[in-house]
Amino acid sequence: MRDERWLARTSPRGPISLMVRVYRYILPEVKIALDGWKDRANAIPDPELRRQALASIASKKFHCQGGAVYAAANLGKRDVLIPLIVALQTISDYLDNLCDRSTSLDPEDFRLLHESMLDAVTPGAPIRNYYALRREQDDGGYLAALVERCQACAASLPAYDSVQAQVRELVSLYGDLQVYKHIAHDRREEALLSWWADHEKRHPGLLWNEFAAATGSTLGMFMLFLAASEDERTPGMGREIAECYFPSINGLHILLDYLIDQAEDEQGGDLNFCSYYDDQAQLNERLAAHGQKRARFGGPAAGVELSPDDRRRSRRAVPVRSESQGTAPRSADGEAIDEGQSLDTVVFLAQQPSHTQSDVTAKGKKTMGAVQKNRSTDERWRFSRDERGRSGRRPQRAVPWA
């Protein structure tokens, strides 16, 4: 079992501490990174590629903001983690636009485009012409620059060699999904089911749509980046984290996202994995099961028991229009942690569009105002349970962040 103390040492002490880090460090630095990529996108010579690059940044920046929350767990490495997460997520969002809203329906084109993500998480991989199978070609080096930024950042993570295989595995599955999801509508469900048949034996607790949803999340990749940002490593570290995130946390993340978008996707004719449950009751039951049995970092991989009816349904691909609570995580010393401290919860909220995030943002700004009113802007105090003790005395000065 991996020693969890490294994460306990660097992570926020609670929700207020987390929000301080997010608003003081994470969001401003994400904005700087995205502004740089926006300037680069504005210089793309091909008008269609330029349009899709700019649109992906404008409409999906909350993906980068949410993903970069992982850097709040190790602020000392945020200068590597934030550029890495932002660059990889920007590639993902840009390619999603190219596959979903652009001029091609060629699966080989989609696969070649997504080879850029595999190259991005493989330091030293040569840059290729990822546009070779489509009409638009000249992006002025935009995609290559994103790939090279990811490679440079990944190479500078102290323990990246311990997680690289699992990062590549998750990126490969993500690329497969994007290929099958974006091909012609009359072919995509057959392709997805055929793909699922190749993986079904490894995931007996899943339905096909739940497996597909789990492959569509980048959270597991970001958690692996975070783990690689520390010098400490143990044999099997990458595999343990990957099994915690895939399929449980990744799947729940994307299914909840699809749940929010059901009406919008039905209106637009887009694929929605929540629509493949038989009815609302089955959807509720399956989401609750995943929520209750999802894996925790440092715990065993989660499985969800399938009933005979569920196993039968898992072989079908018929969309149906649809009309949690987990066990408490444990700190390094074995004590239960308030669910409000969960990075995964904050990341999911942060990755929702602005119209679902407004209340969270307003509360966050109000909290930040209160924190700044009571603390010096130049120096922060950190209070841990051990430092306070029973006397409640103020501890010695610690690090200059929350």
Side-chain angles (χ1 to χ4, degrees):
M1 184 66 65
R2 175 166 162 74
D3 186 349
E4 297 176 5
R5 287 176 294 177
W6 70 275
L7 191 56
R9 287 198 302 268
T10 60
S11 291
R13 298 290 179 173
I16 292 179
S17 175
L18 175 58
M19 296 311 290
V20 168
R21 294 187 182 196
V22 167
Y23 279 92
R24 182 170 185 179
Y25 299 103
I26 306 303
L27 295 183
E29 293 180 27
V30 168
K31 183 179 186 303
I32 291 170
L34 281 176
D35 284 348
W37 292 119
K38 183 178 178 181
D39 291 342
R40 188 74 186 252
N42 268 312
I44 294 176
D46 185 280
E48 176 64 11
L49 297 179
R50 181 172 64 251
R51 183 171 71 89
Q52 298 301 343
L54 290 171
S56 70
I57 292 174
S59 63
K60 300 176 182 178
K61 68 179 181 181
F62 56 88
H63 290 168
C64 293
Q65 292 169 331
V69 170
Y70 278 93
N74 191 356
L75 284 180
K77 291 289 186 179
R78 71 184 188 277
D79 60 325
V80 176
L81 289 170
I82 292 177
L84 173 56
I85 290 169
V86 168
L88 188 65
Q89 187 63 56
T90 299
I91 295 175
S92 169
D93 294 336
Y94 173 51
L95 299 187
D96 186 61
N97 273 35
L98 290 184
C99 295
D100 197 34
R101 298 182 175 88
S102 196
T103 59
S104 173
L105 285 175
D106 180 3
E108 295 306 314
D109 171 38
F110 298 160
R111 191 168 296 282
L112 180 57
L113 285 172
H114 282 87
E115 287 293 316
S116 65
M117 288 189 71
L118 272 174
D119 290 347
V121 298
T122 310
I127 303 299
R128 294 176 270 172
N129 178 13
Y130 306 110
Y131 302 105
L133 299 179
R134 62 172 38 227
R135 184 174 68 241
E136 302 86 11
Q137 293 283 318
D138 189 3
D139 73 350
Y142 176 71
L143 184 54
L146 284 164
V147 171
E148 289 171 341
R149 177 64 58 81
C150 289
Q151 290 180 339
C153 290
S156 67
L157 293 174
Y160 189 65
D161 60 326
S162 297
V163 304
Q164 181 176 339
Q166 287 71 41
V167 172
R168 282 182 53 84
E169 183 178 356
L170 293 178
V171 170
S172 180
L173 288 170
Y174 177 88
D176 288 343
L177 173 68
Q178 299 310 311
V179 171
Y180 303 134
K181 190 176 82 166
H182 287 106
I183 59 177
H185 289 194
D186 60 349
R187 296 172 53 200
R188 63 187 182 187
E189 289 171 355
E190 180 182 355
L192 285 164
L193 283 173
S194 178
W195 177 47
W196 164 237
D198 294 335
H199 296 274
E200 184 176 4
K201 289 183 179 179
R202 292 182 57 194
H203 304 285
L206 294 183
L207 302 176
W208 78 268
N209 56 313
E210 294 166 347
F211 168 78
T215 65
S217 174
T218 51
L219 296 189
M221 305 171 203
F222 300 158
M223 182 63 217
L224 287 164
F225 293 156
L226 172 60
S229 68
E230 285 286 331
D231 289 318
E232 294 182 27
R233 66 188 81 188
T234 57
M237 177 180 78
R239 174 55 55 194
E240 183 181 345
I241 295 171
E243 289 178 352
C244 286
Y245 267 78
F246 187 91
S248 299
I249 295 173
N250 279 11
L252 192 61
H253 167 219
I254 297 301
L255 286 171
L256 289 172
D257 192 34
Y258 276 117
L259 183 66
I260 294 169
D261 293 338
Q262 277 187 103
E264 179 183 338
D265 288 345
E266 184 176 5
Q267 184 177 6
D270 295 326
L271 195 70
N272 187 302
F273 292 124
C274 282
S275 69
Y276 289 91
Y277 293 110
D278 281 357
D279 50 36
Q280 186 69 37
Q282 191 199 17
L283 188 156
N284 293 345
E285 176 186 340
R286 294 295 295 172
L287 286 182
H290 281 286
Q292 290 164 356
K293 294 196 175 187
R294 71 186 184 274
R296 296 287 181 179
F297 178 67
V304 180
E305 191 67 27
L306 283 180
S307 69
D309 284 345
D310 282 337
R311 292 187 184 279
R312 172 179 52 79
R313 291 164 182 150
S314 72
R315 303 179 189 280
R316 301 186 324 178
V318 182
V320 177
R321 182 178 180 180
S322 297
E323 293 195 53
S324 82
Q325 182 170 337
T327 57
R330 299 278 166 180
S331 65
D333 57 8
E335 294 195 18
I337 300 174
D338 186 338
E339 184 66 13
Q341 297 184 35
S342 169
L343 272 176
D344 299 319
T345 302
V346 176
V347 169
F348 172 73
L349 289 174
Q351 287 197 318
Q352 301 315 301
S354 57
H355 66 274
T356 64
Q357 194 184 350
S358 57
D359 290 341
V360 177
T361 302
K363 291 177 182 177
K365 288 180 178 178
K366 185 176 180 180
T367 300
M368 277 297 296
V371 170
Q372 291 172 347
K373 186 175 181 180
N374 290 287
R375 289 185 176 183
S376 165
T377 57
D378 296 323
E379 190 172 41
R380 300 295 172 100
W381 296 90
R382 177 153 70 183
F383 303 89
S384 71
R385 181 175 54 256
D386 295 335
E387 287 170 329
R388 285 195 302 263
R390 295 185 178 181
S391 66
R393 290 178 297 177
R394 172 169 289 195
Q396 294 181 338
R397 286 185 172 91
V399 294
W401 50 69

